Amino acid sequence: DNMHGCYNTAICNYDGGDCCEDTCQDKGSEYKECGQDGYACRNPDSANCDSDYTAKCKTNADDEKKKADEVTCQDNEQKYRLIMYDSFGDGWDTTTVKLKKSGSNKNIIEATLPSGSEGTEYICLSKEPTCYNAITSGGTWGVEVSWEIKTMKE
């Protein structure tokens, strides 16, 4: 997930004091208490994993596979993942990312993250080396927004 520090992340075993009701362990800390700020469950192993906070919930794996299978590429294309992040965790408001082949005015995709801290769209890009232009625009909180393109195997 695209959040810095040790707060409700894998490196902290998802116990940043504000995590999953069923797995949180505050170990008697005087500085934090499970659920002190409500629960923002990002632990993929928890039954309470909330897909608004992460796309890694195991309960969402079948939905993501179905979504990926719905995108069919042409023979000269390969499927990729456009992974969008919001560091505050509330989606991109009106921010969008547009991807175009260099020299073209046609969008390959125009995407946004409607809610949560992470989301994925599936796109088809050329198998041949090709230049693309990516434009992120709109919205008020641009410093919260980031994205990356990865192969299906990554």
Side-chain angles (χ1 to χ4, degrees), residues 79-83 85 148-154:
K79 194 179 302 183
Y80 287 84
R81 297 179 300 137
L82 169 64
I83 308 167
Y85 304 102
E148 62 184 335
I149 296 174
K150 290 187 169 187
T151 64
M152 294 298 290
K153 294 179 182 179
E154 290 183 83

Side-chain angles (χ1 to χ4, degrees), residues 84-153:
M84 299 166 284
Y85 304 102
D86 183 275
S87 62
F88 193 73
D90 62 348
W92 283 11
D93 58 84
T94 59
T95 302
T96 60
V97 60
K98 298 175 188 174
L99 189 65
K100 301 177 182 185
K101 197 178 275 191
S102 290
S104 172
N105 289 328
K106 181 181 175 192
N107 288 335
I108 293 170
I109 190 168
E110 182 173 350
T112 190
L113 180 62
S115 64
S117 60
E118 184 178 326
T120 302
E121 291 289 338
Y122 298 90
I123 58 177
C124 297
L125 302 176
S126 176
K127 289 181 179 178
E128 299 297 318
T130 305
C131 292
Y132 294 92
N133 293 323
I135 302 163
T136 305
S137 61
T140 306
W141 300 99
V143 296
E144 296 176 5
V145 170
S146 61
W147 56 270
E148 62 184 335
I149 296 174
K150 290 187 169 187
T151 64
M152 294 298 290
K153 294 179 182 179

Side-chain angles (χ1 to χ4, degrees), residues 36-75:
Q36 68 189 19
D37 295 322
Y39 292 97
C41 187
R42 299 173 60 211
N43 183 345
D45 294 324
S46 170
N48 297 346
C49 187
D50 189 335
S51 60
D52 284 342
Y53 297 111
T54 181
K56 296 179 181 176
C57 296
K58 289 183 179 175
T59 56
N60 293 338
D62 290 339
D63 291 341
E64 279 300 311
K65 182 175 180 347
K66 182 179 176 185
K67 188 176 169 184
D69 289 345
E70 289 174 358
V71 174
T72 304
C73 298
Q74 297 176 7
D75 289 340

